[in-house]
């Protein structure tokens, strides 16, 4: 026997009584029961939407599924078959979902009217509301659809639910027109959308409150659009407003000045980095000048010098000193990037020694190698390099 769907007739009802048709241990789970009632207010997981939450006789309903018209409530405690039970759905959760779902109809209806695209993948959960359209939409086009959707919300239009006969249905143009077995439920938002849908909706578009597009990404040749409606959109606004206010306070500016202050700080960081690099390169120059001429095997530790300057310096060293010449940029905590060259020996030998002793990674030619290593103190490195 198919379950009577009480939510179909009145999406605002929150409590109901029903008779337990059956109760059995769920397969594959421990101490969970599958309960079938003669009628229910619990909307199951269907059409991309996650199920209602709530209780039956005080026990939490953890999942709701539908199979061949039979709605199955998963519960942590059994209910006696034949008994009369009292159910209650989590109204806040349901109303949030109604706001999101009705918002999706308004939005997809406008996309369909303006661009002819369909929503071919809809997901509504506590974390996301996404629509996959089978055509691309630019950020500007989405902004225009968002503006029109909010206009439809302000117009506070009545949302109508109907069950047309087969003949009536053939004459209607609606979204999601496909072969559906049995009675088709049509949700109409006059002027904006007509769509076959099984989910609970708000009575009037004004109850959607507001609709905000939160992201857009290219997806399977079309576009995936993420939105928030109503109280969830308000929560998002709250979070972002708090974030912006805190950021403005920490920058000692007003919210509208954040981009300008941020840009100024970025420029300053860039200039400081350049200055620092210059100072570090000068310090390295000094170190190079202090090396006695003709010294064999020269190894230096520096910090923050760019790779190109290091390579050039190693080239200068190998031209003036016999044996191995290497520069290690970094320190024990952060690890080292190194370049080692030689005019008269095989630089690869130095690389092999560092790999063997410190697990260094890198490579190069007999003339010059480069690589990186971690976890070695400079004194230990010098000790090992002195074996070359
Ligand atoms: Zn729908």
């Amino acid at each position: 026997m198919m379950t009577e769907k009480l939510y179909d007739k009145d999406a605002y009802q929150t409590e109901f009584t029903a008779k337990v048709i059956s109760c059995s241990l769920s397969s594959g789970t421990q101490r969970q029961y599958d309960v079938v009632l003669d009628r229910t207010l619990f909307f199951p997981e269907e059409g991309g939407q996650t199920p209602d939450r709530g209780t039956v006789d005080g026990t939490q309903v953890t999942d709701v599924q539908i199979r061949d018209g039979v709605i199955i409530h998963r519960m942590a405690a059994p209910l006696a078959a034949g008994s009369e039970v009292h159910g209650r759905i989590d109204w806040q959760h349901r109303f949030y979902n109604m706001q999101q779902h009705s918002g999706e109809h308004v939005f997809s209806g406008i996309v369909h009217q303006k661009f002819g695209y369909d929503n071919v993948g809809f997901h509504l959960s506590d974390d996301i509301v996404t629509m996959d359209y089978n055509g691309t939409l630019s950020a500007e086009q989405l902004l225009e659809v968002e503006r029109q959707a909010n206009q439809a919300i302000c117009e506070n239009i009545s949302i109508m639910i109907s069950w047309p006969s087969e003949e009536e249905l053939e004459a209607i143009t609606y979204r999601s027109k496909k072969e559906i077995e049995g009675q088709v439920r049509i949700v109409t938002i006059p002027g904006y959308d007509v769509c076959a849908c099984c989910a609970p909706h708000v009575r009037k578009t004004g109850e959607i409150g507001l609709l905000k597009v939160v992201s857009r990404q290219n997806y399977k040749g079309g576009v995936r659009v993420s939105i928030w409606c109503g109280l969830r959109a308000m929560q998002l606004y709250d979070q972002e407003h708090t974030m912006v206010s805190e950021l403005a306070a920490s920058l000692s500016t007003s919210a509208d000045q954040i981009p300008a202050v941020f840009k100024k700080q970025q420029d300053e960081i860039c200039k400081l980095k350049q200055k620092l690099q210059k100072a570090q390169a000068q310090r390295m120059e000094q170190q190079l000048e202090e090396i006695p001429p003709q010294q064999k095997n020269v190894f230096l530790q520096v910090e923050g010098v760019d790779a190109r300057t290091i390579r050039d310096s190693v080239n200068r060293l190998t031209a003036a000193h016999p044996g191995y010449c290497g520069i290690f940029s970094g320190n024990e905590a952060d690890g080292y990037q190194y370049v080692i060259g030689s005019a008269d020996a095989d630089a690869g030998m130095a690389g092999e020694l560092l790999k063997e002793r410190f697990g260094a990674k890198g490579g190069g030619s007999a003339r010059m190698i480069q690589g990186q290593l971690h976890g070695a103190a400079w004194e230990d490195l010098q000790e090992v390099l002195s074996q070359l």
Side-chain angles (χ1 to χ4, degrees):
M1 188 183 77
M2 292 222 272
T3 313
E4 187 186 345
K5 301 167 179 172
L6 297 172
Y7 55 83
D8 250 5
K9 283 150 201 139
D10 184 0
Y12 289 77
Q13 203 182 326
T14 59
E15 295 185 39
F16 67 104
T17 53
K19 204 170 105 179
V20 179
I21 301 293
S22 68
C23 176
S24 56
L25 258 176
S26 310
S27 57
T29 58
Q30 281 190 330
R31 274 180 271 128
Q32 291 278 314
Y33 299 86
D34 287 344
V35 176
V36 176
L37 307 172
D38 63 341
R39 53 190 206 148
T40 188
L41 272 181
F42 281 86
F43 180 74
E45 181 172 3
E46 195 174 16
Q49 181 169 331
T50 48
D52 275 333
R53 296 181 192 155
T55 56
V56 176
D57 270 5
T59 300
Q60 205 71 34
V61 174
T62 56
D63 189 23
V64 191
Q65 296 292 325
I66 183 165
R67 264 176 240 131
D68 301 324
V70 178
I71 294 175
I72 300 145
H73 309 72
R74 182 152 289 183
M75 303 182 58
L79 295 171
S83 65
E84 192 174 83
V85 289
H86 180 256
R88 183 200 297 266
I89 59 155
D90 177 340
W91 170 243
Q92 190 189 47
H93 182 255
R94 158 70 76 78
F95 186 65
Y96 274 21
N97 280 353
M98 282 159 59
Q99 285 187 312
Q100 313 309 309
H101 203 130
S102 298
E104 181 273 319
H105 276 228
V106 172
F107 197 90
S108 294
I110 295 167
V111 167
H112 189 75
Q113 276 180 12
K114 281 177 79 87
F115 305 100
Y117 303 149
D118 284 307
N119 176 5
V120 291
F122 177 52
H123 296 280
L124 195 181
S125 73
D126 294 349
D127 307 316
I128 53 152
V129 180
T130 59
M131 294 89 81
D132 299 335
Y133 295 109
N134 53 1
T136 55
L137 292 161
S138 68
E140 293 72 31
Q141 287 170 328
L142 282 179
L143 263 182
E144 178 56 19
V145 176
E146 179 190 279
R147 195 193 60 74
Q148 285 189 27
N150 281 293
Q151 179 60 35
I153 290 168
C154 291
E155 286 168 15
N156 202 22
I157 304 157
S158 290
I159 297 179
M160 298 180 315
I161 309 290
S162 59
W163 286 267
S165 67
E166 263 181 52
E167 301 79 60
E168 286 169 328
L169 203 59
E170 268 180 33
I172 306 174
T173 309
Y174 60 96
R175 291 193 299 119
S176 302
K177 191 162 186 166
K178 52 194 171 198
E179 288 308 312
I180 300 174
E181 291 271 317
Q183 186 79 65
V184 177
R185 185 172 179 266
I186 295 289
V187 178
T188 305
I189 305 172
Y192 290 95
D193 190 42
V194 184
C195 185
C197 179
C198 54
H201 283 267
V202 295
R203 288 191 190 109
K204 290 184 146 204
T205 57
E207 291 175 70
I208 299 167
L210 76 148
L211 184 152
K212 185 78 197 102
V213 172
V214 284
S215 74
R216 160 188 167 271
Q217 65 182 104
N218 293 331
Y219 185 77
K220 288 185 177 174
V223 65
R224 171 168 282 184
V225 180
S226 171
I227 60 168
W228 276 138
C229 295
L231 295 165
R232 284 197 188 152
M234 189 63 199
Q235 282 169 355
L236 176 73
Y237 180 74
D238 265 352
Q239 281 168 13
E240 295 196 346
H241 181 69
T242 303
M243 200 165 70
V244 167
S245 302
E246 285 174 1
L247 193 57
S250 73
L251 293 170
S252 304
T253 189
S254 55
D256 62 330
Q257 289 301 311
I258 290 174
V261 172
F262 185 72
K263 168 84 173 59
K264 202 171 148 220
Q265 289 197 347
Q266 290 290 98
D267 291 347
E268 276 169 16
I269 289 170
C270 196
K271 272 187 209 153
L272 285 172
K273 267 189 183 163
Q274 284 170 352
K275 259 191 188 170
L276 184 65
Q277 262 186 7
K278 210 172 152 190
Q280 281 163 330
Q282 277 171 352
R283 188 173 157 267
M284 186 173 77
E285 273 305 311
Q286 274 177 359
Q287 283 177 278
L288 290 173
E289 277 166 23
E290 284 162 14
I291 301 164
Q294 294 312 308
Q295 181 187 320
K296 192 184 173 207
N297 291 357
V298 176
F299 292 105
L300 283 187
Q301 185 218 350
V302 300
E303 288 213 37
V305 182
D306 66 281
R308 193 190 164 150
T309 308
I310 288 178
R311 271 200 310 276
D312 291 348
S313 303
V314 169
N315 274 326
R316 273 168 52 203
L317 284 171
T318 53
H321 297 271
Y324 296 94
C325 300
I327 298 179
F328 289 71
S329 177
N331 52 51
E332 185 177 357
D334 302 330
Y336 300 90
Q337 303 276 339
Y338 62 81
V339 177
I340 299 171
S342 179
D344 56 8
D346 181 1
M349 297 286 286
E352 288 304 317
L353 184 64
L354 293 174
K355 271 183 200 171
E356 190 190 309
R357 297 296 295 274
F358 300 105
K361 289 193 170 73
S365 64
R367 180 95 179 79
M368 185 181 276
I369 57 153
Q370 46 194 336
Q372 55 196 28
L373 61 89
H374 288 90
W378 176 236
E379 292 72 33
D380 297 340
L381 267 169
Q382 280 177 304
E383 163 78 29
V384 167
L385 291 165
S386 70
Q387 297 164 17
L388 281 166

